[in-house]
Amino acid sequence: MYVVRCGVVRLFPVTRRLHELDALRGFAVCGIMLVNTWQHTREQLDAPGRNAVDWAVDNLLQSRFYPIFSFLFGLSFVLFLRSADARTDHPRVVLLRRLAVLACFGLVHQLVNPGEVLLPYAIFGALVLLPASFLPRPAVPVLGLAVTAWAMHEGGGMKLIPGLFLLGMAVMEYPPPEWLLPPFFAVTAALAVGLGYLWIRTLDDSGLFYRGTYPAAGLAAAAAYCTGLLLLLRSRPRGALLAVLAPLGRMALTNYLASTAVILLALPLLTADPTRITGVLLAAGVLALQVVLSRMWLARFRYGPLEWVWRRLTWMEPVPNRRIGSNA
């Protein structure tokens, strides 16, 4: 099945594209769980020092996964707006309600996890993505590149989110051809390695140090991780990867919020291990359990528990969740 919109034939089958988006989102859930476990642990230590785990997380994982989530959020914005446009005469009103519900989740999450991303996502969605939906299509990628470049120059962090939202929105409107995946992966992987090495070498050199190097390395690595995964999803391991990552992605909100509770409860155990290996093992164990539970849940229900609440409050109408034939 292919979709034709605005005279453009989409290059990917609809079902495969959606499964791959779920897998990318699940992959981001894995990385964020590892990084958040590490961050919460270090924040509780008076003099954490640095070891091999710290180096690996800081240079291979930190700032590599929230850009993926941000990009996918912008992409999903377009998908939702198209879906809402087919169901209502006021799709942007429904979209604003969806963002308001997300903001409520974020506010509650902020109480136990200050600095979390759901509330900023909802705010940036309303202030950046919604106005951008009125712009001419060619303006969105240009604006996205400009805002992202400015954010990198300013040191990255939360400043990257609006630009990545816009770039995700632009890629949904202008889907790239599949033949670009291998060269794009090669280029971004080389950039990630080169920029990461440059960052490490210039940390102690005030003459060469540039604060934009680290976010640039993170974005390059995020792009390489995404395109590398998409290449794997077009090869033999596709079925196994989808079976593991797609359920995590389909229940990303539920799994993300649940992981925060697990990390906070496990902090006494995590801070007692100076090697930080306990944190890695905890993250791996929780993710494995979430894969199993997500698969079991989705075998009986269409949406994860919090995803269902989000959808129900967005549309303000009953949303059937139980799958036909399920005894749940």
Side-chain angles (χ1 to χ4, degrees):
M1 177 180 174
Y2 291 80
V3 62
V4 179
R5 193 175 292 273
C6 298
V8 178
V9 179
R10 300 300 182 193
L11 298 174
F12 308 123
V14 172
T15 53
R16 189 184 79 183
R17 185 175 70 243
L18 294 178
H19 288 322
E20 290 178 348
L21 292 179
D22 287 334
L24 285 172
R25 197 174 289 110
F27 176 67
V29 167
C30 293
I32 287 173
M33 175 62 183
L34 281 163
V35 172
N36 283 352
T37 305
W38 174 78
Q39 285 180 333
H40 278 286
T41 302
R42 285 185 58 86
E43 287 170 359
Q44 296 299 312
L45 301 174
D46 294 330
R50 289 189 63 81
N51 57 30
V53 172
D54 296 324
W55 186 94
V57 174
D58 201 21
N59 292 284
L60 301 177
L61 303 178
Q62 174 89 315
S63 299
R64 271 69 173 169
F65 292 97
Y66 82 85
I68 298 175
F69 251 135
S70 302
F71 178 85
L72 292 175
F73 192 90
L75 193 152
S76 299
F77 175 93
V78 178
L79 284 174
F80 183 85
L81 199 55
R82 289 177 181 175
S83 174
D85 187 49
R87 293 182 55 177
T88 176
D89 294 332
H90 306 286
R92 289 179 176 84
V93 173
V94 178
L95 182 59
L96 273 175
R97 196 157 57 230
R98 179 175 174 82
L99 293 172
V101 176
L102 183 64
C104 292
F105 281 126
L107 282 169
V108 174
H109 197 213
Q110 285 272 357
L111 297 177
V112 296
N113 187 29
E116 63 86 49
V117 298
L118 297 182
L119 183 58
Y121 274 23
I123 294 171
F124 285 134
L127 297 181
V128 176
L129 285 177
L130 192 61
S133 68
F134 292 98
L135 294 175
R137 290 175 66 208
V140 175
V142 174
L143 184 60
L145 288 171
V147 173
T148 303
W150 168 82
M152 285 192 292
H153 177 69
E154 293 298 312
M158 289 286 187
K159 299 182 187 72
L160 284 169
I161 292 175
L164 292 171
F165 276 6
L166 293 168
L167 290 178
M169 186 177 178
V171 166
M172 194 63 214
E173 294 290 357
Y174 297 99
E178 289 192 57
W179 62 263
L180 274 180
L181 276 178
F184 192 77
F185 168 73
V187 170
T188 53
L191 280 173
V193 172
L195 290 169
Y197 177 76
L198 182 63
W199 168 260
I200 294 170
R201 288 297 301 269
T202 59
L203 270 175
D204 299 322
D205 189 334
S206 59
L208 295 176
F209 177 80
Y210 173 52
R211 60 182 176 176
T213 305
Y214 187 75
L219 287 183
Y225 291 166
C226 282
T227 49
L229 179 60
L230 288 173
L231 287 171
L232 287 175
L233 290 173
R234 286 159 171 73
S235 62
R236 287 182 181 274
R238 170 182 169 83
L241 282 171
L242 284 177
V244 171
L245 295 177
L248 279 177
R250 288 178 61 189
M251 290 178 52
L253 179 62
T254 298
N255 288 326
Y256 170 63
L257 294 179
S259 68
T260 297
V262 172
I263 294 169
L264 294 178
L265 289 172
L267 275 178
L269 178 65
L270 297 173
T271 54
D273 178 14
T275 69
R276 252 79 81 193
I277 293 175
T278 300
V280 176
L281 295 176
L282 174 72
V286 170
L287 289 168
L289 180 61
Q290 286 183 335
V291 169
V292 173
L293 294 178
S294 296
R295 287 177 59 83
M296 291 174 61
W297 180 274
L298 292 171
R300 295 166 175 79
F301 300 96
R302 298 177 182 179
Y303 312 107
L306 293 184
E307 286 75 11
W308 177 81
V309 172
W310 192 10
R311 193 176 186 88
R312 172 71 175 79
L313 294 175
T314 294
W315 289 102
M316 298 299 291
E317 63 185 28
V319 176
N321 198 16
R322 185 179 300 177
R323 290 189 181 278
I324 296 175
S326 171
N327 294 323

